[in-house]
Structure formats: structure tokens, C-alpha cells
Amino acid sequence: MDKINKLAEKRAALLTDASSIVAEHAEKGEALTAEAQARFDALTSEASVVASAIQSEKLAAEARAAADAARTEKAVAFAPAAESKRDLSAELRRIAREGGEVELRDITKSTFTQQVEQGDRFWITAGQVNVFVDPAVTEVLQVARGNVIALPRTTALGTAAAVNEGSAIGESDGTNSSLSLTPVKYATLLQVGVETVQDEMFDVASWATSKIAAELAVAHAAVAAPAVAAAATVGKQGAAVAPTYADLVALIYSVKQQERRAPKRGFLMNDTTLGAVMGLVDGASRPIFVPGDQSRPDTILGFPVYSAPLADNGDEALSILFGNLGAVYTAIAGAPAIEADRSYAFASGLVSYRGILRGATGLIDPNAVKSFKGANV
């Protein structure tokens, strides 16, 4: 944990230094020189490398914790017998050596944030690369089947009015509709030499789970992000393809008060767009971007900002979303299936790991989240 904290502090320092370069030139009313731009790019690039190192260290820490837990369980072998619990990591290793298959079928929404077995390792990794399956940011539902899921929504309110005692109350139904989500299958195949599994050079099951989780999460996010952007109402169209400080302020206040104060409020944009926004300052020449740490996300103008594969700044591009991200719903059908098999590539001496995730994402209220749209150039 100390190493992760040190890495987080290093990243924060790098981003602070990068922001100070912009602020220094802004105070003088000067554009960034070529040398200053190079320093800014170098600092933000190094910060990205450190961010990747933080994620890797988190996974390593989780693996060490799992190993410690296993050793502790052996140490209390003579304790009163309890209900047996599947060791999915051991099962994946056994199947890789001897054949057979196993699926993760015990994951529910309540366990998404608990670090237990390979199922939770899957969600931890997936949530790090895909904000749409992170229940701390968006709404994640798990359903038993992949049938069409209809979520009710109100598209226009009715009208209430003051009524005298004993008087009839007029009917006002408003306009209602539904958000339909149809889970789509995302899949990937990973192959490892049987010698690697047999020699136990490292925890192959945990590594395969994390890698498969990241690949499936990236594939889902690539579909989910544009779908949410298309469903959101345009809150501000800029005079240029890239947003200005004033554009972001206008975008924030285009969202209703109850939505911009919601517990899951925040920005979504890709890392390239975020790099450009990091250079913006407010009217007092203060950077509007503030780096986060282990307990707090990065913020823009005080609101959390999360990475998502939206479009880059460009001609009429929907590059930024802001609002109540709790209005973004992701439905996961069943549980992610991770299976190991030796027969598929038996002649090549390879063990095959297959991952499948079925999910769909949509925006239940087009006005709860609004977008920044680049100028028509």
C-alpha cells in the first residue's frame, strides 16, 4: 500500500507541475512556448505511465492478499467445519492441467466490490478500464437472462396545481416511455503454453482472469460510450472543436440542479481530450484540473472526471459528457464466464482460456447527462 501511495503522490506531483506550466504562462498572458509545451507533454506522459504502474501494483497487491488468505485458511484447518467454498483459482489451474471446464456463476451485484475469488478479481480489473461497469460511478444491474430489459422513464412531467379543499383534482399524466437494453455478447480467447501452467511460473489463473476482464471491458466500453453520447442532449456547442473554460461552465449549468448535485455526478471524456482540458485555467488563471489520489478521483471545476472512449475533439464531435452518471444503466446478463480447456489446441500443447461477458448500456434520461459538441468547421 505504501508503494501505491508513493506512486499516487508522484502522479499528483507530475500533474501539478504540468498545470503550473500552463498557469505560469496564463498569468503572463502568453501562449505556451515550444519548450514549455514539450515539458508539459513530458510531464503528462510520465503521469500516464505512473497511472499504469499504480493499476499493476494494485493487482499485484490483490494477488499477494489472496495468497496470504490461502495460507491463513490452511493454518486453521482444525477449526470447526464450515460450508465449503469453491477455490476458482485452483479449479482453473487444475482444469488447465487435466482438462474440463469451469464457469464463474456466483457473482451478484452485491459482490461487485468485494475482493473474493476470481469473480471479484474480474470486476475489479473491468471497473478500472471501463467506467460503465463500475457501480461506484454508474448504475450496474445484474439479470438472470439476456432478454430485452425495459426500464421505465418519464420524458415529460405532468402539471400539478393548487387545489381547494373538496375540489376535484385534475388528471395530468405527463409522457412516459422506456429504455430498452438488450445484452450483447463480448468474447475473447487466450492461449498459454501447457509448460507455463505445469511449472507454475506465476499465478496463471489470476493473470488470465485479469487480462480477459480488461479485454472484455474495453470491448463493451467502445460500444457503450458512443451510445450514451448519442442519447444525451447537447448542452453546449463550442465555437471551436476544443472546449474552452467558458464552454465547460456552460455545459455544467445546462444540466438541472438536481442532476449536477447527484451523488454520481461527473464528467466523461477520453484521455486525449482530458489532456487538452488540463491546460485550461479559470478567470483567475488557476488550473481547472486538480489531480486526485488514492481516495479521490481527478476533478474538473470540482466535479469528478472519468476516462471513457468518447470521440476526440473534432468537427461536431460529442467529446465530453457531464451530468448525473447514475442515469447511465448497464445490464449484465448472468455472470462473466471464464473457462479453461486443454482439448481445443491439444496438438499445439496450449491451454485455452475463454471469456464471455453479456452486457448493454443506455441512458435513462437524456437531460440528466448532457454533451459538449465541437463546432461545425
Side-chain angles (χ1 to χ4, degrees):
M1 184 59 68
D2 289 341
K3 184 174 181 181
I4 294 176
N5 289 335
K6 289 179 180 178
L7 288 171
E9 291 173 0
K10 181 178 180 181
R11 177 175 179 267
L14 290 167
L15 293 175
T16 300
D17 290 344
S19 298
S20 65
I21 293 174
V22 177
E24 179 182 348
H25 285 74
E27 289 176 358
K28 298 177 182 178
E30 300 174 349
L32 290 179
T33 63
E35 179 182 357
Q37 184 66 55
R39 286 167 49 212
F40 177 85
D41 292 341
L43 289 168
T44 54
S45 177
E46 185 177 354
S48 296
V49 173
V50 174
S52 297
I54 291 174
Q55 289 192 359
S56 298
E57 184 59 29
K58 284 181 180 178
L59 293 177
E62 292 160 13
R64 289 193 294 269
D68 291 341
R71 285 192 290 270
T72 301
E73 185 177 352
K74 290 181 180 179
V76 294
F78 294 100
E83 183 180 353
S84 61
K85 184 179 182 180
R86 293 177 66 193
D87 185 347
L88 295 178
S89 181
E91 287 188 45
L92 285 173
R93 288 193 289 271
R94 175 187 60 77
I95 291 166
R97 297 191 190 96
E98 304 170 7
E101 61 182 34
V102 64
E103 296 187 34
L104 304 185
R105 292 296 186 191
D106 59 347
I107 305 174
T108 64
K109 182 180 179 183
S110 63
T111 67
F112 279 1
T113 57
Q114 299 174 8
Q115 299 181 26
V116 182
E117 292 289 351
Q118 296 297 337
D120 289 313
R121 178 179 298 282
F122 183 100
W123 288 115
I124 290 169
T125 303
Q128 289 173 342
V129 298
N130 180 354
V131 70
F132 299 105
V133 296
D134 184 348
V137 181
T138 59
E139 288 298 317
V140 181
L141 307 175
Q142 186 148 21
V143 294
R145 298 177 178 83
N147 301 330
V148 177
I149 304 159
L151 301 175
R153 64 180 175 184
T154 298
T155 54
L157 295 174
T159 303
V163 180
N164 293 326
E165 182 178 354
S167 299
I169 300 174
E171 180 180 352
S172 180
D173 297 328
T175 304
N176 301 301
S177 64
S178 64
L179 168 66
S180 296
L181 298 177
T182 304
V184 174
K185 181 171 76 175
Y186 300 91
T188 186
L189 195 69
L190 169 66
Q191 294 184 316
V192 181
V194 67
E195 295 84 0
T196 300
V197 176
Q198 291 174 341
D199 296 343
E200 293 188 338
M201 299 171 62
F202 57 94
D203 189 346
V204 178
S206 295
W207 169 77
T209 298
S210 296
K211 186 175 184 298
I212 288 171
E215 292 178 358
L216 295 177
V218 167
H220 168 262
V223 175
V228 173
T233 303
V234 175
K236 174 63 178 179
Q237 181 160 12
V241 295
T244 63
Y245 163 67
D247 288 335
L248 293 178
V249 171
L251 175 60
I252 290 171
Y253 285 94
S254 71
V255 176
K256 293 180 180 179
Q257 175 175 277
Q258 66 268 30
E259 306 294 359
R260 64 175 183 266
R261 290 184 176 180
K264 294 184 178 182
R265 65 193 183 276
F267 284 97
L268 293 180
M269 63 188 76
N270 70 28
D271 290 340
T272 300
T273 303
L274 178 57
V277 171
M278 283 176 58
L280 298 178
V281 295
D282 63 15
S285 298
R286 295 170 300 191
I288 65 173
F289 173 85
V290 177
D293 54 28
Q294 287 298 103
S295 60
R296 297 174 300 177
D298 298 337
T299 60
I300 293 175
L301 293 171
F303 295 96
V305 55
Y306 304 101
S307 180
L310 294 167
D312 291 337
N313 290 325
D315 185 10
E316 296 196 322
L318 302 174
S319 57
I320 299 175
L321 296 178
F322 172 80
N324 177 14
L325 302 182
V328 177
Y329 279 75
T330 293
I332 302 296
I338 301 179
E339 303 161 303
D341 182 78
R342 292 187 60 168
S343 61
Y344 178 73
F346 182 80
S348 301
L350 297 173
V351 176
S352 302
Y353 293 89
R354 185 184 69 185
I356 296 176
L357 174 70
R358 299 175 68 198
T361 297
L363 178 61
I364 198 166
D365 183 352
N367 290 304
V369 177
K370 294 193 177 184
S371 62
F372 169 77
K373 185 176 184 179
N376 183 347
V377 296

